[in-house]
Amino acid sequence: MSSEKASLRRTIRAARREFVDKEAASKTIVEQVLAMPTYRDAKCVLWYLDVRDEVRTLDGVRRALSQQASVAIPWCDEKELRLFRLRDLAELETGRFGILEPRVSLRFEDDRLVNADSVDVTLVPGVAFDLSGGRLGHGAGFYDRFLSLGGGTRVGLAFECQLVDAVPMADHDVRVDWLVTESRVWDCRRGLGVHVCDSPW
């Protein structure tokens, strides 16, 4: 299975890299996320901060900081994903893997630590997804380990070019509950969804 996953990562990364409309597609995806009832009802949302060719989330984080009761972001500590309560984008700096992370001086302040079980919605990045909620990450397992502990409703964010018929899944791999692309909002648990142009909410 590892070779199958590696081959799929290469294929989808190339497709995502060649996708030229990332900014407009990301804007549509973020708008759909902000409109989801599950998101609107959440008291604490974990937003990832995009890197390289991922769905752009920074504008969503900026808007969430003015709307959401609590915004958390992840950062990598050895092999674990830790969560930080973000209050201002000025608290970020470039960290491991070139990803924006909380400043080192703030990471362990008591009022900034967030537990996985206090997160209502987690916005999940990935390399490839399928409509059953299968997700292929970058291979380090950060999100699978975290999501096995909590994280509330799991919402995968992806461009349509990242969708495949079936993601190879091992026992420890964690599926997402929802999938949002520039073209659809899909409930992976029920196998139901709508096209974005149909105004789902």
Side-chain angles (χ1 to χ4, degrees):
M1 182 179 290
S2 60
S3 61
E4 187 180 1
K5 285 186 174 183
S7 176
L8 184 57
R9 283 191 185 96
R10 288 192 296 269
T11 299
I12 300 303
R13 281 172 175 161
R16 188 175 62 178
R17 189 165 53 247
E18 294 168 5
F19 178 51
V20 297
D21 208 12
K22 295 182 185 69
E23 297 300 331
S26 295
K27 182 177 179 181
T28 298
I29 291 167
V30 167
E31 290 293 343
Q32 292 304 312
V33 169
L34 295 178
M36 291 176 71
T38 299
Y39 176 92
R40 294 200 309 264
D41 293 342
K43 294 181 180 179
C44 181
V45 175
L46 176 63
W47 281 82
Y48 74 87
L49 293 158
D50 63 274
V51 66
R52 294 182 289 278
D53 299 311
E54 292 177 337
V55 172
R56 309 324 195 201
T57 58
L58 195 58
D59 183 59
V61 174
R62 182 181 294 108
R63 293 169 63 181
L65 285 169
S66 65
Q67 300 170 357
Q68 209 70 32
S70 180
V71 175
I73 60 166
W75 61 278
C76 298
D77 180 21
E78 297 299 330
K79 294 185 177 182
E80 300 302 321
L81 205 64
R82 295 192 182 274
L83 310 185
F84 174 83
R85 195 177 310 280
L86 185 69
R87 294 177 181 153
D88 194 294
L89 292 179
E91 296 170 344
L92 301 174
E93 63 185 12
T94 302
R96 191 176 179 185
F97 307 120
I99 303 171
L100 287 173
E101 295 182 344
R103 292 204 306 268
V104 174
S105 60
L106 298 174
R107 290 180 182 178
F108 292 102
E109 292 186 359
D110 289 342
D111 63 340
R112 298 305 187 97
L113 302 176
V114 179
N115 294 321
D117 58 5
S118 68
V119 175
D120 300 304
V121 173
T122 296
L123 303 179
V124 188
V127 176
F129 294 87
D130 64 39
L131 295 182
S132 296
R135 170 186 173 271
L136 179 67
H138 291 282
F142 286 109
Y143 273 89
D144 288 315
R145 287 190 292 274
F146 163 70
L147 293 172
S148 69
L149 301 174
T153 301
R154 304 177 292 270
V155 182
L157 306 188
F159 302 121
E160 282 286 318
C161 65
Q162 295 175 249
L163 301 191
V164 298
D165 290 338
V167 171
M169 299 282 287
D171 291 341
H172 62 269
D173 293 329
V174 178
R175 294 179 182 272
V176 296
D177 302 309
W178 287 84
L179 185 61
V180 182
T181 74
E182 71 271 27
S183 299
R184 73 185 87 197
V185 179
W186 189 264
D187 186 340
C188 302
R189 299 163 298 183
R190 299 170 61 203
L192 298 172
V194 295
H195 293 293
V196 166
C197 61
D198 294 332
S199 300
W201 319 122

